Amino acid sequence: METDNGPEVSTLCREIQWLLQDVVVEAEQRGEGVVKLRAEMDQLYILWNQRIEKRKPFQYIVGCEHWRDLVLCVQDGVLIPRPETEKIVELVEEVVGKDEGLREGLWADLGTGSGALAIAIGKVLRTRGKVIATDLSPIAASVAEFNVKRHGLQDKVEIRQGSWLEPLEDAKGKLAGLVSNPPYIPSGQISGLQAEVGKHEPRLALDGGENGMDDLLHLCEGAASMLKPGGFFAFETNGENQSKFLVNFMQNCPKSKFQDVRIVADFAGIERFVTGFCQ
């Protein structure tokens, strides 16, 4: 097994326990508990070998990820939603709780992946609130659509395939809110990532260009034209340096239309998010 920041033994123990729980079916036979499996033991061995030898993410093996109060389908080609990204939902909950216009408005989740943010935000909006989620990857768009239907939110969340803001021309200047967890890893650092990430998760969802800022800057420029006055935005970054760079860019750009721009730390204290409002 590789040793480049690989999973700890305790993590692997939890994962194999979850795998077994997922395939075990209990049945009653002659008054005694009988354990049956949804998969043969040789199949389980192949799956676990992919985890150990090939460092395939456990979520791809079982086909889902538990995120907040959601169970989300994931597969090869779709970024696995991260715990730290849950903070964006809390930030949205905070602002919509104070502003009816934001609560009842149209939101966008750009680069939605599995649809995690779009679905979670759709659940916190009021009756007329809606989320449009975009993703360039047809695989991600398909999985996100499946997850939306799985959670019964077809009337709240719409998935559109396309690059960032391109599928949102009809929403220009109308968005109450815009969120994104875009690619922000510098290109040169991808090969040094943990094998589960660098070798298996989609590079399209990881690689943010030479300094990791390509997509973040593109989104900042686009947000100014997409958000209505008073509209809220929240972007996830790689941490302190990127966050500070982004804040400086948004505050000092000659055409800046943003106010109350600030940095928000994640649950681990890393200055990961940049939020603000459109003037």
Side-chain angles (χ1 to χ4, degrees), residues 92 95 101-102 105-109 121 130-132 174-179 226-228 230-234:
V92 172
V95 296
L102 298 182
L106 178 63
W107 286 69
D109 171 26
I121 292 172
K130 183 178 178 180
V131 184
I132 300 175
K174 301 177 183 179
L175 293 181
L178 187 156
V179 301
M226 297 303 299
L227 289 167
K228 67 180 184 179
F232 175 79
F233 67 86

Coordinates of all heavy atoms in Angstrom, one line a residue, residues 92 95 101-102 105-109 121 130-132 174-179 226-228 230-234:
V92 N -25.5 30.4 3.9 CA -26.7 30.8 3.2 C -27.9 30.8 4.1 O -28.7 31.7 4.1 CB -26.9 29.7 2.0 CG1 -28.3 29.9 1.4 CG2 -25.8 29.8 1.0
V95 N -28.0 34.2 5.9 CA -28.5 35.4 5.2 C -29.9 35.3 4.8 O -30.6 36.3 4.8 CB -27.6 35.7 4.0 CG1 -26.1 36.0 4.4 CG2 -27.6 34.5 3.0
G101 N -36.2 38.6 0.6 CA -35.9 38.6 -0.8 C -34.9 37.6 -1.2 O -35.0 37.0 -2.3
L102 N -33.9 37.3 -0.3 CA -33.0 36.3 -0.6 C -33.6 34.9 -0.4 O -33.3 33.9 -1.2 CB -31.7 36.4 0.3 CG -30.9 37.7 0.2 CD1 -29.7 37.6 1.1 CD2 -30.4 37.9 -1.3
G105 N -35.8 34.1 -3.4 CA -35.2 34.4 -4.7 C -34.6 33.2 -5.5 O -34.7 32.0 -5.1
L106 N -34.0 33.5 -6.6 CA -33.3 32.6 -7.5 C -31.8 32.5 -7.1 O -31.1 33.5 -7.1 CB -33.5 33.0 -8.9 CG -32.8 32.1 -10.0 CD1 -33.4 30.7 -10.0 CD2 -33.0 32.7 -11.4
W107 N -31.3 31.3 -6.9 CA -30.0 31.1 -6.5 C -29.3 30.2 -7.6 O -29.9 29.5 -8.4 CB -29.9 30.3 -5.2 CG -30.2 31.2 -4.0 CD1 -31.4 31.7 -3.7 CD2 -29.3 31.7 -3.0 NE1 -31.3 32.5 -2.6 CE2 -30.0 32.5 -2.1 CE3 -27.9 31.5 -2.8 CZ2 -29.4 33.1 -1.0 CZ3 -27.3 32.1 -1.7 CH2 -28.1 32.9 -0.8
A108 N -27.9 30.3 -7.6 CA -27.2 29.5 -8.5 C -26.0 28.8 -7.8 O -25.4 29.4 -6.9 CB -26.6 30.3 -9.7
D109 N -25.8 27.5 -8.1 CA -24.7 26.7 -7.6 C -23.8 26.4 -8.8 O -24.3 25.6 -9.7 CB -25.1 25.5 -6.9 CG -24.0 24.5 -6.5 OD1 -22.9 25.0 -6.4 OD2 -24.3 23.3 -6.4
I121 N -29.2 23.9 -0.3 CA -29.8 25.2 -0.3 C -31.2 25.2 -0.7 O -32.0 25.9 -0.2 CB -28.9 26.1 -1.3 CG1 -27.5 26.3 -0.7 CG2 -29.6 27.4 -1.5 CD1 -26.6 27.0 -1.6
K130 N -35.6 29.1 -5.5 CA -35.2 28.1 -6.5 C -33.7 28.1 -6.7 O -33.1 29.2 -6.5 CB -36.0 28.3 -7.8 CG -35.7 27.2 -8.9 CD -36.5 27.4 -10.1 CE -36.1 26.4 -11.2 NZ -36.9 26.6 -12.4
V131 N -33.2 27.0 -7.1 CA -31.7 26.9 -7.3 C -31.5 26.4 -8.7 O -32.1 25.4 -9.1 CB -31.0 26.0 -6.3 CG1 -29.5 26.0 -6.6 CG2 -31.3 26.4 -4.9
I132 N -30.6 27.0 -9.5 CA -30.2 26.5 -10.8 C -28.7 26.1 -10.6 O -27.9 26.9 -10.1 CB -30.3 27.5 -11.9 CG1 -31.7 28.0 -12.1 CG2 -29.7 26.9 -13.2 CD1 -31.9 29.1 -13.1
K174 N -30.5 38.7 -12.1 CA -31.7 38.3 -11.4 C -31.4 37.4 -10.2 O -32.3 37.2 -9.4 CB -32.6 37.6 -12.3 CG -33.1 38.3 -13.5 CD -34.0 37.5 -14.4 CE -34.4 38.2 -15.7 NZ -35.2 37.3 -16.6
L175 N -30.1 37.0 -10.0 CA -29.8 36.1 -9.0 C -29.8 36.7 -7.6 O -29.2 37.8 -7.4 CB -28.4 35.4 -9.2 CG -28.3 34.5 -10.4 CD1 -26.9 34.0 -10.5 CD2 -29.3 33.4 -10.4
A176 N -30.5 36.1 -6.6 CA -30.5 36.5 -5.2 C -29.2 36.0 -4.6 O -28.7 36.6 -3.6 CB -31.7 36.0 -4.5
G177 N -28.7 34.9 -5.1 CA -27.5 34.3 -4.5 C -26.7 33.5 -5.4 O -27.3 32.9 -6.4
L178 N -25.4 33.4 -5.2 CA -24.5 32.6 -6.0 C -23.5 31.9 -5.2 O -22.8 32.6 -4.4 CB -23.9 33.5 -7.1 CG -23.1 32.9 -8.2 CD1 -23.0 33.8 -9.4 CD2 -21.6 32.6 -7.8
V179 N -23.3 30.6 -5.3 CA -22.3 29.9 -4.5 C -21.5 29.0 -5.4 O -22.0 28.6 -6.5 CB -23.0 29.0 -3.4 CG1 -23.8 29.9 -2.4 CG2 -23.8 27.9 -3.9
M226 N -24.3 38.9 -12.7 CA -25.4 37.9 -12.5 C -26.2 38.2 -11.3 O -27.4 38.0 -11.3 CB -24.8 36.5 -12.3 CG -24.1 36.0 -13.5 SD -25.1 35.9 -15.1 CE -26.4 34.8 -14.6
L227 N -25.6 38.8 -10.2 CA -26.4 39.1 -9.0 C -27.2 40.4 -9.1 O -26.7 41.4 -9.7 CB -25.4 39.2 -7.8 CG -24.7 37.9 -7.4 CD1 -23.6 38.2 -6.4 CD2 -25.7 37.0 -6.7
K228 N -28.3 40.3 -8.5 CA -29.1 41.6 -8.4 C -28.6 42.4 -7.3 O -27.9 41.8 -6.4 CB -30.6 41.2 -8.2 CG -30.9 40.5 -6.9 CD -32.4 40.2 -6.8 CE -32.8 39.7 -5.5 NZ -34.3 39.4 -5.4
G230 N -28.0 43.7 -3.8 CA -28.2 43.0 -2.5 C -28.0 41.5 -2.6 O -28.1 40.8 -1.5
G231 N -27.7 41.0 -3.7 CA -27.5 39.6 -3.9 C -26.2 39.1 -3.1 O -25.2 39.8 -3.0
F232 N -26.3 37.9 -2.6 CA -25.2 37.3 -1.8 C -24.4 36.3 -2.6 O -24.9 35.6 -3.5 CB -25.8 36.6 -0.6 CG -24.9 35.9 0.3 CD1 -24.1 36.6 1.2 CD2 -24.7 34.5 0.2 CE1 -23.2 35.9 2.0 CE2 -23.9 33.8 1.1 CZ -23.1 34.5 2.0
F233 N -23.1 36.2 -2.3 CA -22.2 35.2 -2.9 C -21.3 34.6 -1.8 O -21.0 35.2 -0.8 CB -21.3 35.8 -4.0 CG -20.3 36.8 -3.5 CD1 -19.1 36.3 -3.1 CD2 -20.5 38.2 -3.5 CE1 -18.1 37.2 -2.6 CE2 -19.6 39.0 -3.0 CZ -18.4 38.6 -2.6
A234 N -20.9 33.4 -2.1 CA -20.0 32.6 -1.2 C -19.2 31.7 -2.1 O -19.7 30.9 -2.8 CB -20.8 31.8 -0.2

